[in-house]
Amino acid sequence: MADEIYVGNADPDALADRGWLLGHFKPEGDPRHSADVEIKWGRHPRGDRRAEWVRGEARTALLVLISGCFHMEFPGRTVVLDKQGDYVVWPRGVDHSWFAAEESVVLTVRWPSVPGYAVPESAGGA
């Protein structure tokens, strides 16, 4: 039973998979392995921008601002999150990108956790 419980801290744990704390990419048997959901703790310095737009996203996502000022960019619309707790939800199929107007911390939840969709070293994911 004890090995079914994981206790950690998002800052150091996030370093292992570029911010992703939970999802299909964690090893089988790890309490953080999930085919249902992915969770990311994202720390972004001021001026950080996603390298390229996400196109044809296969998951629904929720992004919550913990601190800072973070812009979520969608075709024809930019959502500015600037108060702690501000959040945005977008469905699968919606292209998106992001920009950190200030040093920001965000929590992202995506579902489902799509097997075969790797956490590549070069992409930041949202």
Side-chain angles (χ1 to χ4, degrees):
M1 177 70 116
D3 61 344
E4 295 175 2
I5 298 170
Y6 181 90
V7 177
N9 181 280
D11 276 330
D13 286 0
L15 297 175
D17 282 316
R18 290 177 14 282
W20 292 100
L21 301 174
L22 188 143
H24 75 274
F25 37 80
K26 295 296 185 183
E28 289 281 344
D30 185 318
R32 298 169 298 162
H33 175 85
S34 174
D36 299 317
V37 67
E38 299 172 356
I39 299 176
K40 180 178 185 179
W41 180 258
R43 285 198 167 271
H44 301 278
R46 175 188 296 260
D48 196 17
R49 177 177 291 281
R50 191 168 196 325
E52 58 187 60
W53 278 65
V54 175
R55 303 205 185 277
E57 175 61 70
R59 294 153 300 189
T60 298
L62 159 77
L63 182 136
V64 181
L65 180 71
I66 306 298
S67 63
C69 181
F70 201 75
H71 296 201
M72 282 302 305
E73 300 169 334
F74 303 98
R77 180 175 182 192
T78 296
V79 176
V80 177
L81 308 168
D82 61 359
K83 291 185 292 303
Q84 186 176 46
D86 283 353
Y87 68 95
V88 60
V89 178
W90 63 97
R92 63 185 58 174
V94 174
D95 296 344
H96 64 279
S97 191
W98 51 258
F99 171 73
E102 296 177 4
E103 182 175 328
S104 300
V105 177
V106 296
L107 179 74
T108 304
V109 180
R110 297 191 302 203
W111 62 94
S113 185
V114 180
Y117 189 94
V119 179
E121 290 299 319
S122 61

